[in-house]
Structures are given as C-alpha cells and as structure tokens.
Amino acid sequence: MQRIACPERDDWRATAESTGFTFHTIDGERYWDERAYYAFTLDEIERAIELPTSEIEAMCLELVGRAIDDESYLRRLKIPQAFWDLIKASWHRDEASLYGRLDLKFDGNGPAKLLEYNADTPTSIFEAAVFQWTWLEQAIARNIIPKRADQYNSIHDRLIEAWKKLGGSHRLHLAGMTGNAEDAGTLAYLEDTAAQAGLKTTLLDIGQIGLRDDGQFVDLDDRAIALAFKLYPWEWMFHDAFSKNLATAPTRWIEPPWKAILSNKGILPLLWEMFPNHPNLLPAYFEDDPQAAQLGTSFVRKPIYSREGANIELVSAGVTLVAEEGPYGAEGFIRQALAPLPNFSGQYPVLGSWLVDHTPCGLSIREDENPITGNTSRFLPHAIL
Amino acid sequence: MKRSRRVLLKMMGSVAVGAASIGLTSADGRGHRHDAAAGTKGNISHRSTSGGFGGAPRRIARFGDDDPSHGGS
C-alpha cells in the first residue's frame, strides 16, 4: 500500500458535474481529491481486503442470527423493544440487503482491522463506483498512472444485478433527506442503477411519505409504496411518528429492519465476544462491562449510535488525544482497542470495503489530517499496480 | 482485471436531464404532484415534512446551529 502524489486532471470538476457529482467540493473544501492516489498490489486487495471483508460479513450475519434468537443481544444493543418483532420478522422473511460498507484500518502490513460497519445507510457509493473508475480510465489515458493500473471495483455492475434480483415487478421508491446534496446524489445514483435493472422508480423526500387510512405508506401520487430504499437510518425511523405503523404496513424496506442490528456499534464488542482474537477484529467491550478494563488506558470510545465520527474519542495512556463533538451518546458507549490509522504523508486513510448483495466488490478511501475520519474527510481514488 | 468494463449512467448527469429529474430538488419543487393537504383525495391520514418520517434528526441528531446531519454515513 502506497500513497502516490500525482497531477490532477485539469477538467475533473467539469467531468464531475457532467456526471451529476455536484458535491465534489463541500463548503469550499475539496471532498474529491485526486492530487494523490493509493496504490495496492493485487495480493493486498485479494488477500488482505476482499477475503477478510467476506469473512467479516459472514461473522456479522451469524451475529444477527444469534441476536434474533436471543433477545439479550437486542437489549445490549439498546434497540427499542417495540421494534424487536419487526426486526425478527424481516430476518425470518429473509429480506434482502442491497449493500454495506466496512470501514477498515489497513496499512499494508498485518491484517485489516474492522473499525465499524456502515450497514444501513452508507454513502460515497457514487464516487466509489463511478467517479473513481472514470478517474482510472482517464488517468491511464493521460499517462498520469501506469498503463497496467487496474482498480478493485465492480460495484456498479453488482448493484444493477442486485436490483434485478431483489426488485421483482414492484415500483421502487427511493427516499431520503433530499435537501442534502450528498444524500440526494446517492439516491439519484442508486435510482439510476435500479432503472438500468429495469425497475420503475420514484424518488422523494423521506418527509413526503404519507400514510393512508388503510395503513399503507404512499407517495405523493397516493401510490402505495411496496418496495422502498431509504437513505435514512433505522434508529431515526424508530423515533419518527410513523414508526408505530412500520410493523403493519406492507412496505418492504431496503436496507431491511434486521440491518438495525449491524449498523449499531455495539456489534463490535459482540463480534469480539463471539470470535475472540479473530485477526480482523479489534478487542472491544461495552463501556459498562468490567472487561473493558482489559484495554487499559488506551482505547477508542464510540457511542453505540453515532454517525460520521461524531462523539468519538481517542484515548492514549489515559490522555484524550482527539475528541469529536456531537449529539450522540445517550444510549451508552463501547470501547475498542486503539488502532491508530497509518500516517501517509501526514494523512490518515480509512479504507471503505464495499459489499453488494453480501459480496465484496470494491474499495473507497477517505483521508484526513485528523486521525478520526469525519464528514469532511476527502475521498481519494485507488489503483492496483 | 476488469478494465474492459464500462460504467454507464442512464439518468444521472445527462445534459438533457434537469436537476429535478435526477432527484436533486425535492419533489415539492417539481410542482405538479398533489399533496394530501390540498385535499384532492382526502384519504391520507397524515403527511407532513416532519410529522411522519424525517423528524428524528432534528430531535435526536441535531448539533450546533447547522442543519441536522444527513442520513448517509
């Protein structure tokens, strides 16, 4: 694994905008950054990223199965009891998952380590699937990177195949917070892949979903929503007024309710408990577990529910190195062994390992000068050399 | 490995396609669709920009003066 500085394409902004990638710059700061790229060997991709991703996914599914059968898991994850039956039913119906992204620490030496699983509402999929592929093709054509360069990336193809498999004959509704450019762009991209799979689609804001007297969720044309992709986390759904109607409405959701288990940072201690010393896991404990003392005075403290680095604290030798502010933490915290991100030219990269329909299929990289990756961290492309 | 593939977009980013149809403006801004509040059919018991789904982030995920965080992660 290397970080290689390189010239940027002089027309990349126009290219981004012509493909609908309007959020390449956020609040005046680069989000897409191609002044460097990360290079991997094929062996690193296949052995150190793809294979562990598959293994971690299998462990996660085993954990869900166990949590469905043992309510103490749901209790430890602080999932409201009112939704346990909804979650269980979605698992027993084998409701399909479209995608997810594992965040991994990897430095080219030693095994990749799971930092967290964005199992419910991962974003950055457009830039991972499409725009970094465009970069690869153009960077090769313009002699920016070697002609032999390749990329670990079949996300786009697999999304289309997955939609064909899970879409059926239903119209697909896609809903989220469309006022946010990144979320709107993600929804628009997923809508595009669904359309390429032959699905009829409707995109709307999550707040525009209505409820009819017959208990069906409906769109703005009063059309019943049979199949809905939501870029809106389950823990928020559970707090909304319509949450009481989730169990009885016939809508099938993507991601399904059972993903509420995996998007919870409480899975990190549960995975460690089930698979102790697994090479791709970091020791982790619930903060109120006396075993958390085994981590000593160096650990990362994460809220059970948290998004984009908020309320995460890095503690080393009892001293808080970095602490991100935010609104989370009411449900409690976990502690995970401190595994500092590697430092490449003063930048700390986190690898995003993508799964579509449970199959590992691509890589994205976010880097930051801050060792906690947040919503302002930049996206850099990668290549296999 | 996979360099012969082509990544094509059908709807997104086409010069002929405006922002509304690629989802970058809310459906409210697209104009022609009816809203339950207009009473066109009258059988929708509840629709609101924050009263059905979509209100939680303002209550449980708001931080600072900015708009609450977005749904992606």
Side-chain angles (χ1 to χ4, degrees), chain A residues 5-34:
Chain A
C6 65
E8 51 188 337
R9 295 166 293 164
D10 51 10
D11 58 351
W12 71 260
R13 287 176 181 80
T15 305
E17 280 152 24
S18 73
T19 57
F21 182 18
T22 57
F23 50 99
H24 57 73
T25 303
I26 299 175
D27 296 335
E29 301 289 332
R30 287 173 191 261
Y31 166 59
W32 172 264
D33 188 351
E34 59 180 62

Short mmCIF file of all heavy atoms in Angstrom, two decimals, chain A residues 5-34:
data_model
loop_
_atom_site.label_atom_id
_atom_site.label_comp_id
_atom_site.label_asym_id
_atom_site.label_seq_id
_atom_site.Cartn_x
_atom_site.Cartn_y
_atom_site.Cartn_z
N ALA A 5 1.64 10.70 -4.93
CA ALA A 5 1.20 12.01 -5.42
C ALA A 5 1.16 11.99 -6.94
O ALA A 5 1.98 11.32 -7.58
CB ALA A 5 2.15 13.09 -4.92
N CYS A 6 0.21 12.69 -7.51
CA CYS A 6 0.09 12.70 -8.97
C CYS A 6 -0.62 13.98 -9.41
O CYS A 6 -1.31 14.61 -8.61
CB CYS A 6 -0.67 11.47 -9.46
SG CYS A 6 -2.39 11.41 -8.92
N PRO A 7 -0.44 14.36 -10.67
CA PRO A 7 -1.17 15.54 -11.15
C PRO A 7 -2.66 15.26 -11.24
O PRO A 7 -3.07 14.12 -11.53
CB PRO A 7 -0.58 15.79 -12.54
CG PRO A 7 0.33 14.67 -12.84
CD PRO A 7 0.43 13.77 -11.68
N GLU A 8 -3.45 16.27 -11.00
CA GLU A 8 -4.90 16.09 -11.16
C GLU A 8 -5.30 16.41 -12.59
O GLU A 8 -4.60 17.16 -13.28
CB GLU A 8 -5.67 16.92 -10.15
CG GLU A 8 -5.30 18.37 -10.07
CD GLU A 8 -5.98 19.09 -8.91
OE1 GLU A 8 -7.03 18.65 -8.43
OE2 GLU A 8 -5.44 20.13 -8.48
N ARG A 9 -6.40 15.82 -13.03
CA ARG A 9 -6.91 16.16 -14.36
C ARG A 9 -7.38 17.61 -14.34
O ARG A 9 -8.11 17.99 -13.41
CB ARG A 9 -8.09 15.23 -14.72
CG ARG A 9 -7.73 13.77 -14.88
CD ARG A 9 -8.98 12.91 -14.88
NE ARG A 9 -9.63 12.94 -13.57
CZ ARG A 9 -10.87 12.55 -13.32
NH1 ARG A 9 -11.63 12.09 -14.30
NH2 ARG A 9 -11.36 12.59 -12.10
N ASP A 10 -7.01 18.37 -15.32
CA ASP A 10 -7.37 19.78 -15.26
C ASP A 10 -8.86 20.01 -15.45
O ASP A 10 -9.39 21.07 -15.11
CB ASP A 10 -6.55 20.61 -16.27
CG ASP A 10 -6.62 20.03 -17.67
OD1 ASP A 10 -7.44 19.12 -17.89
OD2 ASP A 10 -5.84 20.48 -18.53
N ASP A 11 -9.57 19.00 -15.97
CA ASP A 11 -11.01 19.18 -16.22
C ASP A 11 -11.88 18.31 -15.31
O ASP A 11 -13.03 18.05 -15.62
CB ASP A 11 -11.32 18.84 -17.68
CG ASP A 11 -10.90 17.42 -18.05
OD1 ASP A 11 -10.21 16.78 -17.22
OD2 ASP A 11 -11.24 16.96 -19.14
N TRP A 12 -11.31 17.87 -14.17
CA TRP A 12 -12.09 16.91 -13.38
C TRP A 12 -13.37 17.52 -12.80
O TRP A 12 -14.38 16.82 -12.65
CB TRP A 12 -11.23 16.25 -12.29
CG TRP A 12 -10.83 17.10 -11.11
CD1 TRP A 12 -9.63 17.71 -10.92
CD2 TRP A 12 -11.61 17.40 -9.94
NE1 TRP A 12 -9.61 18.38 -9.73
CE2 TRP A 12 -10.81 18.21 -9.10
CE3 TRP A 12 -12.90 17.07 -9.53
CZ2 TRP A 12 -11.27 18.69 -7.88
CZ3 TRP A 12 -13.35 17.55 -8.30
CH2 TRP A 12 -12.55 18.35 -7.49
N ARG A 13 -13.34 18.80 -12.50
CA ARG A 13 -14.55 19.40 -11.93
C ARG A 13 -15.70 19.39 -12.95
O ARG A 13 -16.84 19.06 -12.64
CB ARG A 13 -14.28 20.82 -11.46
CG ARG A 13 -13.44 20.86 -10.19
CD ARG A 13 -13.09 22.28 -9.77
NE ARG A 13 -12.26 22.29 -8.57
CZ ARG A 13 -10.95 22.07 -8.56
NH1 ARG A 13 -10.30 21.82 -9.69
NH2 ARG A 13 -10.27 22.08 -7.42
N ALA A 14 -15.36 19.73 -14.18
CA ALA A 14 -16.39 19.72 -15.23
C ALA A 14 -16.88 18.29 -15.46
O ALA A 14 -18.08 18.05 -15.66
CB ALA A 14 -15.82 20.31 -16.51
N THR A 15 -15.93 17.35 -15.43
CA THR A 15 -16.32 15.94 -15.60
C THR A 15 -17.25 15.51 -14.47
O THR A 15 -18.26 14.85 -14.70
CB THR A 15 -15.07 15.05 -15.61
OG1 THR A 15 -14.18 15.52 -16.62
CG2 THR A 15 -15.42 13.60 -15.88
N ALA A 16 -16.91 15.91 -13.25
CA ALA A 16 -17.75 15.55 -12.09
C ALA A 16 -19.16 16.11 -12.27
O ALA A 16 -20.15 15.39 -12.11
CB ALA A 16 -17.12 16.08 -10.81
N GLU A 17 -19.22 17.36 -12.64
CA GLU A 17 -20.53 17.99 -12.73
C GLU A 17 -21.35 17.40 -13.88
O GLU A 17 -22.57 17.26 -13.78
CB GLU A 17 -20.38 19.51 -12.85
CG GLU A 17 -20.11 20.11 -11.45
CD GLU A 17 -19.31 21.39 -11.46
OE1 GLU A 17 -19.32 22.08 -12.48
OE2 GLU A 17 -18.68 21.69 -10.42
N SER A 18 -20.67 16.99 -14.94
CA SER A 18 -21.41 16.42 -16.07
C SER A 18 -21.96 15.03 -15.74
O SER A 18 -22.88 14.56 -16.41
CB SER A 18 -20.51 16.33 -17.30
OG SER A 18 -19.56 15.30 -17.14
N THR A 19 -21.40 14.40 -14.72
CA THR A 19 -21.94 13.10 -14.32
C THR A 19 -22.88 13.21 -13.13
O THR A 19 -23.33 12.20 -12.59
CB THR A 19 -20.82 12.10 -13.96
OG1 THR A 19 -20.03 12.66 -12.92
CG2 THR A 19 -19.95 11.78 -15.15
N GLY A 20 -23.17 14.42 -12.69
CA GLY A 20 -24.08 14.59 -11.57
C GLY A 20 -23.40 14.59 -10.21
O GLY A 20 -24.07 14.61 -9.18
N PHE A 21 -22.07 14.57 -10.20
CA PHE A 21 -21.32 14.56 -8.94
C PHE A 21 -21.12 16.02 -8.52
O PHE A 21 -20.06 16.61 -8.74
CB PHE A 21 -19.99 13.84 -9.16
CG PHE A 21 -19.11 13.70 -7.95
CD1 PHE A 21 -19.60 13.84 -6.66
CD2 PHE A 21 -17.76 13.38 -8.10
CE1 PHE A 21 -18.78 13.69 -5.56
CE2 PHE A 21 -16.93 13.23 -7.02
CZ PHE A 21 -17.43 13.39 -5.74
N THR A 22 -22.17 16.58 -7.94
CA THR A 22 -22.16 18.01 -7.64
C THR A 22 -21.53 18.33 -6.29
O THR A 22 -21.21 19.48 -6.01
CB THR A 22 -23.60 18.55 -7.62
OG1 THR A 22 -24.34 17.79 -6.65
CG2 THR A 22 -24.26 18.41 -8.98
N PHE A 23 -21.33 17.31 -5.48
CA PHE A 23 -20.81 17.57 -4.13
C PHE A 23 -19.32 17.26 -4.05
O PHE A 23 -18.82 16.89 -2.99
CB PHE A 23 -21.60 16.79 -3.08
CG PHE A 23 -21.79 15.33 -3.38
CD1 PHE A 23 -20.99 14.37 -2.78
CD2 PHE A 23 -22.78 14.92 -4.26
CE1 PHE A 23 -21.15 13.03 -3.05
CE2 PHE A 23 -22.95 13.57 -4.53
CZ PHE A 23 -22.15 12.63 -3.93
N HIS A 24 -18.60 17.43 -5.15
CA HIS A 24 -17.15 17.17 -5.15
C HIS A 24 -16.40 18.15 -4.27
O HIS A 24 -15.28 17.91 -3.84
CB HIS A 24 -16.61 17.22 -6.58
CG HIS A 24 -16.87 18.51 -7.29
ND1 HIS A 24 -16.19 19.67 -7.00
CD2 HIS A 24 -17.74 18.82 -8.28
CE1 HIS A 24 -16.63 20.65 -7.79
NE2 HIS A 24 -17.58 20.16 -8.57
N THR A 25 -17.03 19.31 -4.01
CA THR A 25 -16.46 20.31 -3.12
C THR A 25 -17.55 20.66 -2.11
O THR A 25 -18.69 20.93 -2.51
CB THR A 25 -16.05 21.56 -3.92
OG1 THR A 25 -15.12 21.15 -4.93
CG2 THR A 25 -15.39 22.59 -3.03
N ILE A 26 -17.20 20.59 -0.83
CA ILE A 26 -18.21 20.84 0.20
C ILE A 26 -17.75 22.00 1.07
O ILE A 26 -16.64 21.97 1.61
CB ILE A 26 -18.45 19.56 1.05
CG1 ILE A 26 -18.96 18.42 0.16
CG2 ILE A 26 -19.43 19.84 2.18
CD1 ILE A 26 -19.11 17.08 0.87
N ASP A 27 -18.59 23.01 1.18
CA ASP A 27 -18.26 24.22 1.95
C ASP A 27 -16.92 24.79 1.51
O ASP A 27 -16.10 25.22 2.36
CB ASP A 27 -18.25 23.90 3.46
CG ASP A 27 -19.63 23.49 3.96
OD1 ASP A 27 -20.63 23.90 3.33
OD2 ASP A 27 -19.69 22.76 4.96
N GLY A 28 -16.66 24.76 0.22
CA GLY A 28 -15.44 25.35 -0.31
C GLY A 28 -14.21 24.48 -0.18
O GLY A 28 -13.12 24.85 -0.63
N GLU A 29 -14.33 23.33 0.44
CA GLU A 29 -13.19 22.43 0.63
C GLU A 29 -13.33 21.23 -0.29
O GLU A 29 -14.44 20.75 -0.53
CB GLU A 29 -13.14 21.94 2.09
CG GLU A 29 -13.03 23.04 3.13
CD GLU A 29 -11.67 23.71 3.13
OE1 GLU A 29 -10.68 23.05 2.76
OE2 GLU A 29 -11.62 24.92 3.44
N ARG A 30 -12.18 20.74 -0.77
CA ARG A 30 -12.21 19.56 -1.62
C ARG A 30 -12.80 18.38 -0.86
O ARG A 30 -12.40 18.09 0.26
CB ARG A 30 -10.80 19.14 -2.01
CG ARG A 30 -10.11 20.00 -3.00
CD ARG A 30 -8.67 19.52 -3.14
NE ARG A 30 -7.87 20.47 -3.88
CZ ARG A 30 -7.57 20.35 -5.17
NH1 ARG A 30 -7.99 19.29 -5.84
NH2 ARG A 30 -6.83 21.25 -5.79
N TYR A 31 -13.73 17.70 -1.49
CA TYR A 31 -14.15 16.39 -0.99
C TYR A 31 -13.50 15.33 -1.89
O TYR A 31 -12.85 14.42 -1.41
CB TYR A 31 -15.68 16.27 -0.99
CG TYR A 31 -16.16 14.85 -0.81
CD1 TYR A 31 -15.82 14.13 0.31
CD2 TYR A 31 -16.94 14.24 -1.79
CE1 TYR A 31 -16.24 12.80 0.45
CE2 TYR A 31 -17.36 12.94 -1.65
CZ TYR A 31 -17.00 12.22 -0.53
OH TYR A 31 -17.41 10.91 -0.40
N TRP A 32 -13.68 15.47 -3.19
CA TRP A 32 -12.93 14.61 -4.12
C TRP A 32 -11.52 15.20 -4.26
O TRP A 32 -11.35 16.39 -4.51
CB TRP A 32 -13.61 14.57 -5.48
CG TRP A 32 -12.78 13.88 -6.52
CD1 TRP A 32 -11.94 14.47 -7.42
CD2 TRP A 32 -12.68 12.47 -6.73
NE1 TRP A 32 -11.33 13.50 -8.19
CE2 TRP A 32 -11.76 12.27 -7.79
CE3 TRP A 32 -13.27 11.36 -6.12
CZ2 TRP A 32 -11.42 11.00 -8.24
CZ3 TRP A 32 -12.94 10.10 -6.58
CH2 TRP A 32 -12.04 9.92 -7.63
N ASP A 33 -10.52 14.35 -4.08
CA ASP A 33 -9.14 14.84 -4.12
C ASP A 33 -8.29 13.85 -4.91
O ASP A 33 -8.05 12.73 -4.46
CB ASP A 33 -8.61 14.98 -2.69
CG ASP A 33 -7.25 15.67 -2.64
OD1 ASP A 33 -6.64 15.89 -3.72
OD2 ASP A 33 -6.79 15.99 -1.53
N GLU A 34 -7.84 14.24 -6.10
CA GLU A 34 -7.04 13.33 -6.92
C GLU A 34 -5.61 13.84 -7.08
O GLU A 34 -4.93 13.51 -8.04
CB GLU A 34 -7.70 13.10 -8.28
CG GLU A 34 -7.91 14.36 -9.11
CD GLU A 34 -8.56 14.04 -10.46
OE1 GLU A 34 -9.71 13.54 -10.47
OE2 GLU A 34 -7.91 14.31 -11.49
#
